[in-house]
Structures are given as structure tokens and as C-alpha cells.
Amino acid sequence: MYFQFTEEQEMIRQAARDFAQTELKPGVIERDEHQTFPAEQVKMLGELGFLGMMVSPDYGGAGMDAISYVLVMEELSKIDASTSVVVSVNNSLVCYGLEKYGSEAQKQKYLVPLAKGEKIGAFCLSEPEAGSDATSQRTTAIDMGDHYLLNGVKNWITNGNSASTYLVIAQTDASKRHHGINALIVERGMEGFTVGHKENKLGIRGSDTHSLMFTDVKVPKENRIGEDGFGFKFAMNTLDGGRIGIASQALGIASGAYELAMAYAKERRAFGKTIADLQATQFKLADMATEIEAARLLCLKAAWLKDKGLPYAQASSMAKLYASEVAMRTTVEAVQIHGGYGFVKEYHVERLMRDAKITQIYEGTSEIQRIVISREVLR
């Protein structure tokens, strides 16, 4: 690994930082409080090329590398994790999955508008009884010859009500277990497809998380991604990249909380000095800085491996596991350093603390990451 960013990577990071400060920070508290989806901000991110960052320019993308993606996710997540998760899902799960495994026709029809930011995508795996256990899909896609008949319910779907293109994982032949699962491209507006209620969440409240219902939805055979039975492998391979995005989101949340705690500690006075002069505060800040830097290096290593075309499943799981736990510890300490003010919305750290928790849950819980990592190291 080379530890100095290129001039282009630095420019991309600065662009994301400027956007976060000028476009995301104003109104972020209100969007959180009222659960308002950042539609205008997402549209602008699409115009900047941040919704199809790693997609080839041949398909409307920006052609950036995974390291640049980590830098962008960190900067956006420092300010607004509800917006950064839209960037993460569209890039890591939807665009990546289509570009890597989709047919040329699928790429032209679906990937191009997604990469250009003209449309938003959603990745539909989780169900009421099939979250971490992805083999237990209750959503079915029955082979009807020239189409699949899709029935079932998906839960916790990010961009659920904002997306136009949905990648849906469904069971075609339960007797084959994970070999009987397919990945289908479903379009908003298909007959029988309805968006359910919006979840009232602890954190990332600006992100629109919905349940989706499919009732005899006719999905053309040409909308299947890959060969028959490829769906489980598609989901698992796609999630490996998704974990880099969520690890970077966790990193950004932690980094944002740390910067706020540092600034507050330098201003707040107690016992005749700033609280930054107190050793108890200094120890907290030292631990926060060290853990954040370690999380950052794990994220960058996973991205570097991905850019080099090397196996990165273990690295992305390590990054996601560690960064999410650092995000939780750092935000709790940031609230503590702020004292009573940390409990007040206008100081931002209580929101970052609430946002941090989800990074330990989605794209596979911390326990699931430990299973993935232990499987790799014991292999």
C-alpha cells in the first residue's frame, strides 16, 4: 500500500468535504427530526458523479477507484449519514452488482441511468425472517417460462420509496437451498409491486427505509442477473463491496464526532482552564484518534485490495467490524466530552451517536462479520 493520496484523490476528497459543509450541514438536524429524505442533495450528488463513482465511463460512471470512494464516504458521513447511505447503496450494491454481473442489455437499460444519478437503486435481500441468514428466503420467484412470478415481502430496504430500480433476491427452488436463489431486476411501477410503511428509526432518520410487497409481479426472464441459481452468490459477492461502504460510513461518523469533541474541548472552560487541558479529556481524545486512524487504515486496505483485483472479503469484514465498533465508542465519548450539551440536538453529537448504531447492524451484524473473518483465517 502507498500511503500518500494522488492529487486526483485529494481533489475528490475536498469536493466531498465542501459539499458536506455547504449542502448537507444546513438542514441536517431538521431532516433528521422530520425524517425527510434528502432528495435535492442526492440529486446534486448524482450531478457530481458520486452516485456512480466506480462505474466505467462507458456506462455513465465517473470511473473512480475504491480508495476515492472511501474518502468520499468518510467526508459525507461526518455530516450526514442519512445521505451517505444513499451513496453507499447506489454505488456498492446496485451499480457494482449490475456492472460486475449484469448483461450488456441490463447495463444499458438500468446501470447507465443509475450511474449518472438520474435514478436511484435499492438492494432487496432482508426479509422478516431472513436477514443474516440469506439462504432462508421466503420471497419466491416461480419460473413461468418467459417470466418469473414474484411473491413476498422485503424489510429494511434503504431507498425503498425513492428508488426506481430494485435488485430483488428470491427463492426459485427451495430444495436447492442457496443454489435455488435468483437475483431479479424489478422496476418501480410493475403491477403487483407496492411500497409499504416507512420505518420510524433511531438513526439515519433521513434515509427512507421501507418494507416492499410483491404480489404476483411478472418479472421478465431477461431481468434475471446471471445464470439460474446465481442469486445467492451474487448477493454474497456484492455485500463484500458493500461492507467497504458501510465501514467508511462508520469511519466518517466517528471522525465527525471526534472533530466536534476536539473543537468543543478547546473552547469549553472548567476549573480555570479548557477541558482540553485536563488529562482525563486528553486520554479520551488520544484513544479516539488512535482508533479512528486504525479504522481508516482498515478501510483503505480493503479498498486497495479491491482496486488491485485481489481478494478482499476478509479485509472488508474486518474494516466493517472494527470501524462500526469504533464509531459507537467514539460517538458515546463525544457526547460525554460535551456533557449536557452533548444531549442537545444543535451540537450534532447525539445524532451521530444514534447514526453510529446502525453501522453495527446492516450489511451483516458484527457477529456475522466475526463469522466471515474466522472462516477466512481458519481456511
Side-chain angles (χ1 to χ4, degrees):
M1 291 177 65
Y2 182 59
F3 288 88
Q4 185 172 346
F5 299 126
T6 66
E7 183 177 350
E8 181 182 7
Q9 289 166 343
E10 289 286 7
M11 289 175 61
I12 292 167
R13 175 163 65 174
Q14 189 60 51
R17 182 178 298 164
D18 292 343
F19 182 87
Q21 290 294 328
T22 59
E23 303 296 339
L24 293 184
K25 192 171 183 178
V28 65
I29 294 174
E30 289 74 18
R31 290 195 301 274
D32 173 79
E33 185 170 354
H34 299 294
Q35 302 186 76
T36 304
F37 182 76
E40 186 60 32
Q41 290 79 7
V42 169
K43 179 182 178 182
M44 295 171 69
L45 285 166
E47 293 168 352
L48 288 170
F50 287 161
L51 293 185
M53 289 187 64
M54 296 173 286
V55 175
S56 167
D58 294 340
Y59 298 108
M64 301 180 198
D65 58 10
I67 288 178
S68 296
Y69 173 56
V70 169
L71 299 178
V72 168
M73 281 297 299
E74 179 180 359
E75 293 300 329
L76 298 180
S77 303
K78 286 180 182 180
I79 304 300
D80 187 1
S82 292
T83 299
S84 71
V85 74
V86 180
V87 176
S88 177
V89 168
N90 211 68
N91 275 288
S92 294
L93 299 179
V94 183
C95 285
Y96 172 80
L98 285 170
E99 185 173 27
K100 179 75 172 179
Y101 301 108
S103 67
E104 183 62 27
Q106 290 169 350
K107 292 175 186 179
Q108 293 295 339
K109 184 175 181 179
Y110 299 109
L111 178 58
V112 171
L114 287 165
K116 289 182 176 180
E118 297 170 352
K119 293 184 177 181
I120 300 173
F123 186 81
C124 310
L125 175 64
S126 295
E127 298 182 2
E129 297 183 23
S132 299
D133 181 10
T135 60
S136 299
Q137 295 290 307
R138 298 293 181 87
T139 298
T140 58
I142 305 304
D143 191 338
M144 304 298 289
D146 64 343
H147 68 275
Y148 289 98
L149 203 59
L150 185 65
N151 284 278
V153 177
K154 292 294 181 180
N155 274 21
W156 321 112
I157 305 304
T158 300
N159 303 338
N161 195 43
S162 302
S164 300
T165 304
Y166 300 78
L167 306 189
V168 182
I169 312 301
Q171 184 74 255
T172 297
D173 188 345
S175 67
K176 295 181 179 179
R177 294 285 289 165
H178 63 281
H179 293 298
I181 294 173
N182 280 308
L184 306 177
I185 304 171
V186 176
E187 298 177 34
R188 190 180 185 90
M190 283 184 170
E191 187 176 353
F193 171 34
T194 56
V195 177
H197 75 281
K198 182 177 182 178
E199 302 293 349
N200 186 2
K201 307 188 298 292
L202 171 73
I204 58 167
R205 289 170 57 81
S207 165
D208 65 331
T209 306
H210 287 257
S211 295
L212 307 177
M213 280 79 74
F214 307 95
T215 306
D216 289 339
V217 179
K218 293 182 178 180
V219 183
K221 270 286 181 67
E222 59 262 30
N223 281 29
R224 185 186 71 205
I225 301 175
E227 299 297 321
D228 185 31
F230 180 68
F232 180 78
K233 187 174 181 180
F234 168 83
M236 295 302 100
N237 290 350
T238 303
L239 285 173
D240 285 340
R243 288 173 183 133
I244 296 177
I246 298 309
S248 304
Q249 182 188 43
L251 169 65
I253 292 170
S255 185
Y258 167 73
E259 290 177 5
L260 290 169
M262 176 72 76
Y264 182 82
K266 290 179 178 179
E267 295 173 0
R268 176 68 171 174
R269 297 188 66 83
F271 309 108
K273 60 179 72 175
T274 68
I275 62 172
D277 292 321
L278 302 175
Q279 195 173 68
T281 304
Q282 292 171 358
F283 284 1
K284 289 181 186 295
L285 293 171
D287 288 343
M288 292 159 75
T290 302
E291 291 192 336
I292 289 169
E293 186 62 16
R296 182 176 291 113
L297 291 173
L298 283 171
C299 290
L300 291 172
K301 180 183 179 182
W304 179 81
L305 289 170
K306 186 173 187 292
D307 285 335
K308 294 295 182 182
L310 298 171
Y312 61 92
Q314 177 181 315
S316 66
S317 287
M318 284 181 169
K320 197 270 185 185
L321 169 64
Y322 187 72
S324 64
E325 296 191 344
V326 168
M328 202 69 247
R329 288 194 293 269
T330 299
T331 53
V332 169
E333 290 288 29
V335 170
Q336 193 71 19
I337 287 172
H338 279 75
Y341 290 104
F343 220 63
V344 179
K345 289 183 180 294
E346 68 181 279
Y347 284 80
H348 296 285
V349 287
E350 63 84 29
R351 172 174 48 81
L352 291 171
M353 184 178 73
R354 289 186 285 107
D355 288 348
K357 188 59 192 175
I358 192 61
T359 67
Q360 293 181 305
I361 299 173
Y362 58 14
E363 305 292 341
T365 63
S366 295
E367 291 74 20
I368 292 297
Q369 303 317 309
R370 288 183 168 93
I371 292 173
V372 173
I373 295 164
S374 63
R375 184 190 303 134
E376 292 293 325
V377 299
L378 290 170
R379 180 172 295 173

